[in-house]
Amino acid sequence: MSLSRRAFLTMLGAAAMAGQADALPVFKGKPQPFSRAWLKDKAREMASVPYAPMKEVPQAWRDLSYDQYKSLWFNTKKALWSDTKRPFQMDFFHPGLYFPRAVEINVVEGGIAKTLGFDLTLFDKTDRFPMDLPVDDTMGYSGFRLRAELKTPGIFEEFLVFQGASYFRAIGTGQNYGLSARGLALNTGDSAGEEFPEFTHFYVEAADPGERMTKVHALLNSPSVTGAYTFEITPGLPAEMKVEATLFPREDLPHVGIAPLTSMFLFDQTNRAKFDDFRSAVHDSEGLMVWNGAGELLWRPLANPRELEISSFVDDGPRGFGLMQRARDVEDFADLEAFYHNRPSLWIKPSEDWGKGAVTLVEIPSDKEIYDNIVAYWRPREPMAAGSEQSFSYVMEWGGEPPRPRDVAQVLNTRIGKGYDKKVPYQIVTVDFEDHPDFGTDKELDDITRFISSNRGTVSDGVLQRNPGTGGLRLAFKFDPGEATGAELRVQLVKDGTSLTEVWLYRWTA
């Protein structure tokens, strides 16, 4: 059976009710003092020596088939802290298949860290799982998930997973998993290939009873850089993470992605004609939202291009960016299994001035929904020098649309395609905006200035009218690309010099 890593992660076991533990994780080695300062010192020390990856687990584990791998799963009754009154419980994932190297997981209590040993008895299995796999000193867990009492006392539900390279994913209460995040992106979209740093060591603090926040610390390592990360995590809607990251480059890093997000976009009303599918849309995220340093709120619908596309939104001191899922009705997708309408949005808020750089969007061609093909991150303008120390902090909000940073109407939908006459050379573009009190009455729509532009081809003046289906406004215009194979489109509604809407941006490709 052939399956993408993304589809495999999506199919991992769901949360279950936790009970009293009949076995608990075991510890190994000697306990050691732990602090954020120690973590930074450790990352700095690692950067001063050549890169050495974690050891691979035995070949038999790496050779597991997909069916064999999923026939072994963690017994949540044996979760760490399940026999205590602590507010979180932690489950573990075994290595093998897509995860050839184990990570080291440490539990921190009272400033002392203890290393967890691998324990196969914490897992349940079917008769499909091989009975004679070796367990040696390379064995460990490939990652972990956290559960908490999100809705019902006594019911611990999953809300956060760390597994694979520096990937992690979270959901707001009541949501389904969708997009993911990473600790760091390096050379994404470059012709020479991308480097994937890994979280190799985790230090998970044991939260006291009654607390709603926990901390996860991690060491990051790759051939080019090391890093010390601290995640201050509070579940809910949204699930919030306060992130503090300190990087130590081994080499000069010309292309770094801070707070990288990874998602999937296959099709919606902008490219529906390319897919023979009974559903009206398929995506984990539908748009990139940017609140730039100038105070503009930008909305860029995602695309599934024929070739790799990279867009840079140059900025100075970004105030926030994120990948949003705005379609929230089941019928927006007509999918009763994937529940795309219930996938989280993820909003990034810098905690300090990040200076000059660009919010960068990478769109990769895809023909199947099992592949992540969207990446967004902040790229600092200045390269990171080898031997330097670079620090960034930010807040991640996993949930719905973030609080509106500006009083402007948001984009509800974008449609692109031919009208009734398929022979005309132009496309019809419609942009729907939610209602706004400053739009005024239908008779006052002529007082609104319509800014419509394209860097290639031609655009019409457009028609602005009420959309009875949304209660807001629809701007429709013609776009004739001429001989161009790509164009940057921009739309904004302004009244008396004040923007009434988000700035709509779109990269059209033939």
Side-chain angles (χ1 to χ4, degrees):
M1 177 179 181
S2 177
L3 199 67
S4 74
R5 176 184 177 279
R6 179 183 183 277
F8 169 76
L9 289 173
T10 301
M11 297 175 65
L12 285 173
M17 181 184 299
Q20 290 296 314
D22 46 25
L24 290 175
V26 296
F27 295 97
K28 66 178 184 179
K30 183 179 179 181
Q32 65 176 35
F34 176 83
S35 66
R36 168 73 186 171
W38 176 90
L39 190 74
K40 289 176 60 176
D41 288 344
K42 183 65 176 178
R44 184 183 295 108
E45 176 187 339
M46 289 166 54
S48 67
V49 298
Y51 168 70
M54 300 290 280
K55 293 181 179 179
E56 291 187 337
V57 299
Q59 186 70 44
W61 285 85
R62 288 180 273 146
D63 288 343
L64 289 174
S65 69
Y66 170 77
D67 287 335
Q68 289 174 327
Y69 187 95
K70 73 174 185 177
S71 67
L72 181 71
W73 65 92
F74 189 81
N75 181 349
T76 57
K77 292 182 179 181
K78 301 178 182 181
L80 184 65
W81 303 314
S82 61
D83 61 342
T84 74
K85 294 184 179 180
R86 296 191 187 277
F88 299 93
Q89 295 182 8
M90 183 161 61
D91 306 333
F92 307 102
F93 299 111
H94 61 84
L97 190 58
Y98 300 119
F99 309 102
R101 294 182 175 89
V103 299
E104 181 182 292
I105 301 176
N106 299 268
V107 177
V108 179
E109 187 174 358
I112 300 298
K114 296 185 293 182
T115 303
L116 286 165
F118 180 74
D119 186 353
L120 191 56
T121 68
L122 301 180
F123 297 84
D124 289 336
K125 57 182 177 293
T126 71
D127 56 7
R128 290 187 176 185
F129 188 77
M131 303 300 293
D132 56 350
L133 293 188
V135 176
D136 59 19
D137 59 2
T138 67
M139 286 296 291
Y141 303 110
S142 62
F144 64 92
R145 66 183 172 196
L146 291 180
R147 293 182 288 119
E149 297 170 295
L150 302 180
K151 293 178 288 188
T152 306
I155 305 297
F156 283 75
E157 298 178 73
E158 175 184 350
F159 70 94
L160 172 65
V161 170
F162 282 91
Q163 188 184 30
S166 68
Y167 282 90
F168 57 99
R169 54 189 177 137
I171 51 174
T173 300
Q175 293 186 320
N176 299 86
Y177 281 119
L179 79 170
S180 301
R182 285 187 274 168
L184 191 69
L186 293 176
N187 309 323
T188 304
D190 289 0
S191 58
E194 185 170 1
E195 181 176 315
F196 290 90
E198 298 181 350
F199 286 139
T200 57
H201 297 68
F202 289 96
Y203 300 83
V204 184
E205 295 194 16
D208 292 330
E211 290 186 356
R212 289 297 297 164
M213 182 272 290
T214 189
K215 288 184 179 181
V216 173
H217 310 267
L219 280 172
L220 178 135
N221 198 11
S222 81
S224 299
V225 64
T226 68
Y229 284 72
T230 295
F231 301 86
E232 186 176 301
I233 303 161
T234 304
L237 187 61
E240 182 184 87
M241 296 183 186
K242 296 180 180 178
V243 184
E244 185 176 355
T246 305
L247 303 175
F248 300 92
R250 286 188 171 97
E251 305 172 0
D252 292 341
L253 303 179
H255 186 174
V256 177
I258 304 299
L261 317 180
T262 302
S263 193
M264 180 274 295
F265 177 89
L266 194 65
F267 68 87
D268 66 2
Q269 289 82 4
T270 61
N271 62 337
R272 179 71 182 79
K274 298 178 182 179
F275 292 88
D276 184 9
D277 197 298
F278 75 93
R279 296 165 295 181
S280 49
V282 173
H283 51 73
D284 283 337
S285 306
E286 63 185 289
L288 171 69
M289 188 165 77
V290 179
W291 187 20
N292 65 23
E296 290 182 311
L297 201 58
L298 312 179
W299 176 254
R300 165 63 152 78
L302 298 179
N304 183 359
R306 295 184 185 276
E307 298 179 351
L308 175 72
E309 296 284 348
I310 300 177
S311 303
S312 297
F313 304 88
V314 178
D315 202 0
D316 188 351
R319 306 183 190 188
F321 70 93
L323 292 174
M324 301 290 112
Q325 183 78 316
R326 286 182 172 173
R328 290 299 179 186
D329 293 331
V330 175
E331 281 304 296
D332 290 333
F333 301 92
D335 191 322
L336 303 184
E337 295 183 357
F339 298 110
Y340 286 116
H341 68 286
N342 202 34
R343 305 296 174 101
S345 297
L346 178 49
W347 183 243
I348 306 296
K349 296 190 298 184
S351 299
E352 70 274 332
D353 185 357
W354 281 2
K356 296 180 179 180
V359 174
T360 303
L361 175 65
V362 180
E363 296 165 307
I364 304 167
S366 179
D367 61 354
K368 293 182 177 63
E369 62 199 276
I370 59 174
Y371 302 121
D372 282 335
N373 64 323
I374 302 295
V375 186
Y377 52 88
W378 172 254
R379 179 177 179 176
R381 189 176 76 171
E382 296 299 325
M384 294 186 183
S388 65
E389 178 177 331
Q390 309 282 339
S391 294
F392 297 86
S393 59
Y394 50 96
V395 178
M396 313 179 78
E397 294 179 351
W398 305 73
E401 193 85 10
R404 301 297 290 169
R406 289 195 61 188
D407 182 23
V408 293
Q410 72 175 25
V411 176
L412 296 177
N413 205 356
T414 301
R415 291 175 170 85
I416 301 176
K418 298 288 188 181
Y420 66 92
D421 187 353
K422 309 303 181 186
K423 297 181 180 180
V424 297
Y426 57 81
Q427 301 278 314
I428 295 176
V429 181
T430 69
V431 182
D432 283 308
F433 298 97
E434 69 176 350
D435 198 14
H436 190 281
D438 290 340
F439 285 160
T441 66
D442 291 352
K443 294 182 179 179
E444 297 174 304
L445 294 185
D446 288 341
D447 297 332
I448 298 176
T449 302
R450 295 159 287 178
F451 286 102
I452 307 171
S453 65
S454 174
N455 67 337
R456 293 184 178 88
T458 60
V459 293
S460 67
D461 292 335
V463 176
L464 186 63
Q465 60 190 129
R466 285 282 172 185
N467 183 344
T470 65
L473 297 184
R474 169 175 288 184
L475 178 63
F477 63 94
K478 298 176 182 178
F479 165 61
D480 186 347
E483 299 299 320
T485 58
E488 301 285 349
L489 304 175
R490 179 184 175 105
V491 164
Q492 187 177 14
L493 300 183
V494 176
K495 186 175 183 179
D496 298 328
T498 300
S499 179
L500 301 181
T501 65
E502 295 175 326
V503 179
W504 176 91
L505 305 170
Y506 192 77
R507 174 173 286 183
W508 177 89
T509 56

